[in-house]
């Protein structure tokens, strides 16, 4: 069965559009650089067909307002189509936390766009705070990629909490959310390595 036949069979809603609308979507996906001979092209068509042009343009504008270039936005979409299904509010909150509070570069988001799909409260915030504390203490490298957010909970816990809990006694409390970002003093404290250390010391 060809890619197109398979796609139509499994995702009929994506092609039950009027001809003009469907042709426009196909043109958009082609201009994004997707290979028409690959199944990913058809999945991109499906995502855009379900989303609608107005929502698509709104999310594009959200990404642009956050500082991403057109090429970076397309790179995100190509790496993980589901990222475009996240709400504009979720995208903004995740990027605001990672870029403005955790000081990760926008380029890091482009390389690992699946972080947008993670739960901000249950995963992104506690895990990133743990990593930030370890970075401030000099226990992990400062240019660590966001790839750790793709780890299983067990793997992350063993690699970043259990491994260093003797060096940082309050690390488990950070991981469990008992010590939050306000106590750690990490709101736009760029380059101040003493902030976290002092906050951790005073919390014991």
């Amino acid at each position: 069965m060809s890619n197109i036949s398979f796609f139509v069979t499994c995702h009929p809603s994506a092609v039950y559009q009027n001809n003009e609308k469907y042709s426009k979507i196909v043109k958009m996906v082609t201009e994004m650089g997707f290979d028409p001979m690959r199944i990913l092209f058809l999945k991109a068509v499906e995502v855009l067909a379900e989303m609608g042009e107005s929502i698509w343009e709104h999310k594009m504008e959200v990404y642009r307002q956050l500082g991403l270039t057109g090429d970076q936005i397309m790179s995100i979409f190509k790496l993980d189509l589901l990222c475009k299904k996240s709400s504009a509010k979720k995208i903004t909150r995740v990027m605001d936390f990672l870029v403005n509070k955790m000081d990760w570069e926008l380029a890091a988001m482009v390389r690992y766009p699946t972080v947008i799909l993670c739960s901000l409260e249950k995963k992104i915030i506690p895990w990133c705070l743990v990593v930030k504390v370890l970075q401030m203490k000099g226990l992990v490298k400062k240019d660590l990629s966001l790839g750790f957010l793709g780890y299983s909970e067990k793997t992350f816990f063993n690699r970043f909490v259990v491994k260093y809990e003797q060096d940082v006694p309050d690390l488990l409390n950070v991981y469990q959310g008992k010590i939050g970002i306000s106590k750690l003093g990490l709101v736009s404290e760029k380059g101040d390595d003493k902030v976290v250390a002092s906050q951790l010391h005073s919390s014991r």
Side-chain angles (χ1 to χ4, degrees):
M1 181 182 291
S2 69
N3 282 343
I4 294 178
S5 297
F6 175 79
F7 179 76
V8 171
T9 301
C10 297
H11 307 285
S13 62
V15 295
Y16 287 165
Q17 313 278 337
N18 64 62
N19 290 337
E20 183 180 353
K21 182 177 180 181
Y22 184 69
S23 296
K24 190 173 183 178
I25 291 172
V26 169
K27 182 180 179 182
M28 287 173 61
V29 174
T30 301
E31 291 175 347
M32 289 176 195
F34 286 91
D35 185 349
M37 300 305 294
R38 297 185 177 277
I39 193 67
L40 194 59
F41 177 92
L42 301 173
K43 289 182 178 178
V45 171
E46 179 192 14
V47 170
L48 288 182
E50 291 180 352
M51 187 182 302
E53 186 177 355
S54 61
I55 296 176
W56 164 259
E57 289 298 334
H58 176 60
K59 290 185 178 181
M60 287 284 287
E61 183 59 29
V62 169
Y63 278 113
R64 283 192 288 264
Q65 289 177 353
L66 290 169
L68 292 173
T69 65
D71 288 343
Q72 287 176 320
I73 297 170
M74 288 304 103
S75 178
I76 287 175
F77 189 41
K78 288 179 182 178
L79 285 172
D80 198 310
L81 295 170
L82 292 178
C83 290
K84 282 298 182 183
K85 290 190 174 183
S86 296
S87 68
K89 182 179 179 180
K90 171 72 178 297
I91 294 168
T92 301
R93 290 184 66 211
V94 169
M95 294 188 71
D96 175 66
F97 175 77
L98 292 174
V99 176
N100 297 327
K101 294 183 174 65
M102 294 291 98
D103 298 338
W104 259 284
E105 299 293 331
L106 278 173
M109 295 288 298
V110 176
R111 287 192 294 272
Y112 295 96
T114 52
V115 301
I116 296 172
L117 304 176
C118 299
S119 168
L120 187 64
E121 289 76 16
K122 295 181 179 179
K123 190 171 191 177
I124 296 176
I125 291 177
W127 289 25
C128 285
L129 287 178
V130 166
V131 169
K132 178 61 78 172
V133 168
L134 295 176
Q135 288 175 329
M136 294 293 195
K137 300 282 282 185
L139 295 171
V140 300
K141 59 183 182 179
K142 290 202 171 185
D143 61 349
L144 188 70
S145 76
L146 287 171
F148 65 84
L149 286 171
Y151 292 167
S152 68
E153 186 168 356
K154 180 178 180 180
T155 297
F156 179 85
F157 185 74
N158 288 333
R159 289 189 183 183
F160 293 97
V161 181
V162 174
K163 183 177 180 179
Y164 298 109
E165 61 182 345
Q166 295 302 314
D167 301 293
V168 187
D170 278 322
L171 198 58
L172 182 60
N173 287 331
V174 175
Y175 177 74
Q176 294 176 336
K178 296 177 180 178
I179 297 179
I181 190 170
S182 58
K183 279 193 175 183
L184 291 176
L186 290 177
V187 182
S188 300
E189 295 287 351
K190 294 180 182 290
D192 190 353
D193 291 358
K194 297 179 181 179
V195 174
V196 171
S198 64
Q199 293 292 343
L200 287 174
H201 178 73
S202 63
S203 67
R204 289 201 292 270

